[in-house]
Amino acid sequence: NVDSFKNFVDRLLKLPDQVSLDCFRLRDGISCNDGDHDFDVSGWICAALRRGVKEIDLELHNLGDVPPVLFTCHSLVTLRLDARGCKIEVPSEVCLGNLKTFQLIHWVLFGDDSIHGLISNCHVLEDLAFIECFVENARELHIQIPSLKSLVLHFIARRDRDLNYGVVIDVPNLVYFRYNAALVECYSHMKSLEKADICIYGFHSNLSIDAAHLIQGICNVLYLSLNIHEVISGTSRLPIFHNLIEFKFCGRETSLVEFLHCAPNLKTLTIRFLDFERTRWKASTIEVPSCLSFHLKEIEFSCFDTHMIEMVNYLLDNAMVLKKLIINMDLLTWIQKAEASNQLLKLLKSSNKCLIVIL
């Protein structure tokens, strides 16, 4: 009974002399927002804030507006706000002095001042995420938070003019970074970065240059997952990933060798091709990356195709210390799997310790 539930929450939150509240969650706003009930969501949020709440998790979906007082709460440690279709008024003086985790979902970030004001006063923030957000009428998204350890930027562009902004990231203590968006001009300083998940795509002529700028800022990583739809031409635009030991690559075949030459100490490689161009995989035509000769111990083809036999032969022939080669054949028919398996098991291996695993 929706009315009974509404009355219960009203009484629980708004009666005086109540105990303090640690966590307030309101999820799945779509299912109960049928227009027949007047939910005082703003009042519920304000009541929770008066109780010294530490964690607020809201999935509003047109269920109500977000009161400005939410952004001036000293007790908040975690704030997750999915405000699709809701009106949000961010006050000029944001004060979230104890906030450590801030996740914003389905927001429209409007203008430079609102973006900067939203995060500049979160002095102990460690986890910041913009998930499926839009950027409108902004020239630059500047993130400068010394305490930040994790940053997620997942932006959606509804039209080309939404991409007319730049991103400057100055977070010297960042450990984890995820970027999923149509690529814009991006400059970063992330010297402590250990792990990065990057998915970049775009619509403009400077994509290769902008991608190189972003990748140069993450060159200290130990673990990198890279999904890139276009080719970054020339290793001169790529940094050397001296620390990289695990690399998951999803992209075009011609880009893979370029990246391998820039990862001299790589130990684990996972490959998924968006477009296999059937390059002639011969040592005489393709210079062998040093990581393949001396460090690579595990290689996995997560989406194997019969056209990749020659490439597998090249890798086995040059991987001197390889211990495991994993071939996933989920996309092949039973006949194709049998034929490919027979071919693979006949290939010669430079590493006597290499085990071929066919899935």
Side-chain angles (χ1 to χ4, degrees), residues 180-303:
N180 186 342
L183 192 63
V184 297
E185 189 174 1
C186 181
Y187 297 93
S188 58
H189 172 55
M190 297 180 278
K191 63 181 181 180
S192 298
L193 197 65
E194 295 180 5
K195 184 176 182 180
D197 291 314
I198 309 296
C199 179
I200 51 181
Y201 49 91
F203 316 105
H204 54 83
S205 57
N206 292 328
L207 176 64
S208 182
I209 297 175
D210 290 342
H213 285 157
L214 176 62
I215 291 172
Q216 286 167 4
I218 61 171
C219 62
N220 294 317
V221 291
L222 301 171
Y223 310 93
L224 173 61
S225 175
L226 179 64
N227 186 329
I228 181 167
H229 294 199
E230 298 297 329
V231 175
I232 300 179
S233 56
T235 54
S236 60
R237 290 183 175 177
L238 293 174
I240 302 299
F241 293 85
H242 291 286
N243 301 326
L244 189 64
I245 58 175
E246 182 174 330
F247 184 33
K248 295 182 179 180
F249 175 81
C250 179
R252 298 184 182 277
E253 176 200 0
T254 51
S255 297
L256 177 61
V257 177
E258 302 283 356
F259 281 100
L260 291 183
H261 280 296
C262 297
N265 299 305
L266 190 66
K267 294 182 179 180
T268 302
L269 172 65
T270 302
I271 304 169
R272 183 183 182 91
F273 291 121
L274 296 175
D275 183 19
F276 194 76
E277 300 176 9
R278 304 189 191 186
T279 299
R280 297 294 297 174
W281 286 88
K282 299 290 184 182
S284 58
T285 58
I286 299 178
E287 184 181 352
V288 179
S290 62
C291 65
L292 185 59
S293 299
F294 303 111
H295 296 286
L296 257 175
K297 295 184 178 180
E298 182 175 315
I299 300 175
E300 177 179 353
F301 284 81
S302 61
C303 187

Side-chain angles (χ1 to χ4, degrees), residues 304-310 312-313 316 325-349 355-359:
F304 182 78
D305 188 273
T306 54
H307 302 304
M308 301 175 187
I309 292 288
E310 188 179 32
V312 173
N313 183 47
L316 289 175
L325 175 65
I326 303 172
I327 307 289
N328 192 315
M329 298 187 180
D330 284 346
L331 297 183
L332 302 184
T333 65
W334 283 106
I335 295 176
Q336 289 174 325
K337 286 181 181 180
E339 293 177 350
S341 297
N342 288 332
Q343 288 181 280
L344 289 169
L345 295 175
K346 292 178 181 178
L347 297 178
L348 298 178
K349 300 174 291 184
L355 175 67
I356 298 178
V357 180
I358 299 174
L359 304 176

Side-chain angles (χ1 to χ4, degrees), residues 58-204:
L58 302 174
E59 188 177 286
L60 298 181
H61 290 247
N62 302 298
L63 196 58
D65 294 336
V66 179
V69 70
L70 178 64
F71 303 103
T72 59
C73 180
H74 290 276
S75 64
L76 271 180
V77 176
T78 299
L79 174 58
R80 180 184 182 276
L81 182 55
D82 183 344
R84 179 184 297 174
C86 301
K87 183 180 179 181
I88 302 173
E89 293 184 7
V90 179
S92 57
E93 295 296 330
V94 176
C95 186
L96 295 166
N98 291 306
L99 194 68
K100 292 186 177 181
T101 300
F102 199 180
Q103 296 184 6
L104 310 172
I105 306 166
H106 299 132
W107 275 47
V108 177
L109 304 172
F110 191 86
D112 299 331
D113 294 336
S114 66
I115 299 170
H116 180 72
L118 190 63
I119 60 177
S120 61
N121 291 309
C122 303
H123 300 299
V124 297
L125 196 62
E126 296 181 359
D127 183 348
L128 175 63
F130 295 98
I131 301 173
E132 296 187 22
C133 292
F134 301 94
V135 179
E136 291 190 359
N137 296 334
R139 297 183 303 275
E140 184 176 271
L141 176 61
H142 194 174
I143 301 174
Q144 186 176 14
I145 308 174
S147 59
L148 205 63
K149 301 292 181 61
S150 174
L151 175 62
V152 175
L153 301 180
H154 181 185
F155 296 133
I156 299 175
R158 291 176 288 196
R159 47 193 177 270
D160 288 347
R161 65 186 181 90
D162 287 343
L163 301 176
N164 294 327
Y165 66 93
V167 179
V168 178
I169 305 170
D170 187 4
V171 280
N173 295 306
L174 198 70
V175 176
Y176 174 73
F177 177 54
R178 178 158 67 92
Y179 185 95
N180 186 342
L183 192 63
V184 297
E185 189 174 1
C186 181
Y187 297 93
S188 58
H189 172 55
M190 297 180 278
K191 63 181 181 180
S192 298
L193 197 65
E194 295 180 5
K195 184 176 182 180
D197 291 314
I198 309 296
C199 179
I200 51 181
Y201 49 91
F203 316 105
H204 54 83

